[in-house]
Amino acid sequence: MVHADRESAASARPSRRTVVALFGAVATGALLGAERVAAAPSAPSAAPGLDDPAKKEIAMQLVSSAENSSLDWKAQYKYIEDIGDGRGYTAGLIGFCSGTGDMLDLVQLYTDRKPGNVLAKYLPALRRVNGTDSHDGLDPNYPKDWRKAAQDTAFQQAQNDERDRVYFNPAVAQGKADGLHALGQFIYYDAIVMHGDGDDPTSFRNIRKRALRSAKPPAQGGNETTYLNAFLDARVWAMKQEEAHSDTSRVDTAQRVFLRKGNLDLNTPLDWKVYGDSYHIG
């Protein structure tokens, strides 16, 4: 079942991943936001961060519940469809899009590692359609070939690596720099997955800037729960700017549930709802 986010169509092409290339440097530890902390501290306790393997697995399941209505995130390597949101094809475990550049980067990485793969022939078309919702040069066989490529462990690994480089690692780096525990790092990750980063008002960095107007993160002497509530308020505002993201249940009945319970370390068991569906991790 595809969740409501993917069933809604935006009236104009939104800008979820305006500048995905900016994330490359961040994955090595650079900060996303303009407000760089002079001495970026580590997480404020000995509890594991989101990059702990067990916590990362939880993060993958949480995002998959919202993106794919399933906890089985590894089943999403083969996913591909045009959800009518102005970004062309959306595909793979994190929703790489043909219209936003991250799908092009992924297929290029796969081809660099495995020349002559089944998707390599689409690179010229992916370059042409970047920035649009066009399928020119991709139809009719691109979805079929994507699903075939998804059976290749090399393509699966490329998806994992691009997810980490562009989304996961930058979110964790910024979360740790802000002094956030695993839940806060996840809240950042989920925001980057949906909104990407860039100069548009609904990008991750500008959601964070909006939150900083009303609260400070722990690294700046603030209360973590107060700050995360401010960030989620800003995130909800950003989601409501785009019809395709206007259902905010992934915040309201998931992330805020964990926050209200004081589960800053994102410890199991976890129970939440997204788009009306209930989920549990024991």
Side-chain angles (χ1 to χ4, degrees):
M1 179 179 67
V2 177
H3 65 62
D5 206 11
R6 283 186 165 159
E7 291 172 346
S8 301
S11 58
R13 189 175 74 84
S15 53
R16 175 163 72 110
R17 299 176 177 125
T18 308
V19 194
V20 295
L22 290 177
F23 286 126
V26 183
T28 64
L31 300 185
L32 288 169
E35 309 84 358
R36 184 160 187 157
V37 179
S42 58
S45 80
L50 201 68
D51 49 357
D52 172 82
K55 299 294 185 184
K56 186 173 183 179
E57 177 66 22
I58 290 171
M60 297 305 110
Q61 293 182 66
L62 288 170
V63 168
S64 186
S65 73
E67 293 287 318
N68 303 101
S69 298
S70 169
L71 297 184
D72 187 4
W73 63 272
K74 293 181 181 178
Q76 310 312 320
Y77 291 116
K78 65 181 182 296
Y79 166 80
I80 182 169
E81 68 175 318
D82 189 326
I83 61 176
D85 64 352
R87 300 184 181 98
Y89 279 117
T90 296
L93 60 82
I94 206 65
F96 301 99
C97 295
S98 59
T100 60
D102 53 354
M103 182 180 286
L104 170 60
D105 290 344
L106 169 63
V107 175
Q108 184 64 65
L109 176 65
Y110 180 37
T111 302
D112 290 344
R113 293 177 176 179
K114 192 170 183 177
N117 70 74
V118 69
L119 297 180
K121 60 181 175 287
Y122 295 103
L123 280 170
L126 287 170
R127 295 187 187 100
R128 288 195 303 271
V129 303
N130 189 20
T132 77
D133 62 357
S134 174
H135 294 185
D136 184 39
L138 300 176
D139 287 344
N141 294 321
Y142 186 67
K144 178 187 68 175
D145 287 339
W146 179 281
R147 288 188 286 268
K148 182 177 180 181
Q151 301 174 34
D152 182 1
T153 56
F155 187 48
Q156 294 174 14
Q157 188 60 49
Q159 289 196 40
N160 292 342
D161 292 344
E162 281 297 279
R163 172 203 63 203
D164 289 351
R165 181 184 72 85
V166 179
Y167 303 107
F168 186 80
N169 293 346
V172 172
Q174 184 67 71
K176 288 185 175 182
D178 284 342
L180 304 178
H181 289 72
L183 174 60
Q185 294 166 33
F186 172 75
I187 286 171
Y188 277 11
Y189 174 54
D190 190 68
I192 290 177
V193 166
M194 175 176 283
H195 302 280
D197 197 45
D199 296 326
D200 52 291
T202 61
S203 68
F204 168 77
R205 71 174 64 230
N206 284 313
I207 293 172
R208 181 172 172 272
K209 285 181 181 179
R210 178 177 284 264
L212 288 169
R213 294 173 193 165
S214 56
K216 293 181 179 180
Q220 297 180 26
N223 176 272
E224 186 165 4
T225 298
T226 300
Y227 171 73
L228 289 177
N229 272 313
F231 184 91
L232 291 177
D233 289 344
R235 169 83 188 280
V236 167
W237 173 86
M239 292 173 73
K240 289 183 176 179
Q241 304 311 301
E242 184 181 339
E243 179 60 29
H245 294 154
S246 59
D247 185 325
T248 60
S249 64
R250 70 197 285 162
V251 170
D252 303 333
T253 56
Q255 295 170 39
R256 286 202 196 271
V257 171
F258 308 146
L259 187 57
R260 282 196 299 269
K261 291 182 177 180
N263 191 359
L264 296 176
D265 291 321
L266 205 59
N267 291 327
T268 56
L270 295 170
D271 292 280
W272 73 100
K273 292 183 179 181
V274 184
Y275 310 113
D277 296 328
S278 297
Y279 299 93
H280 171 81
I281 299 176

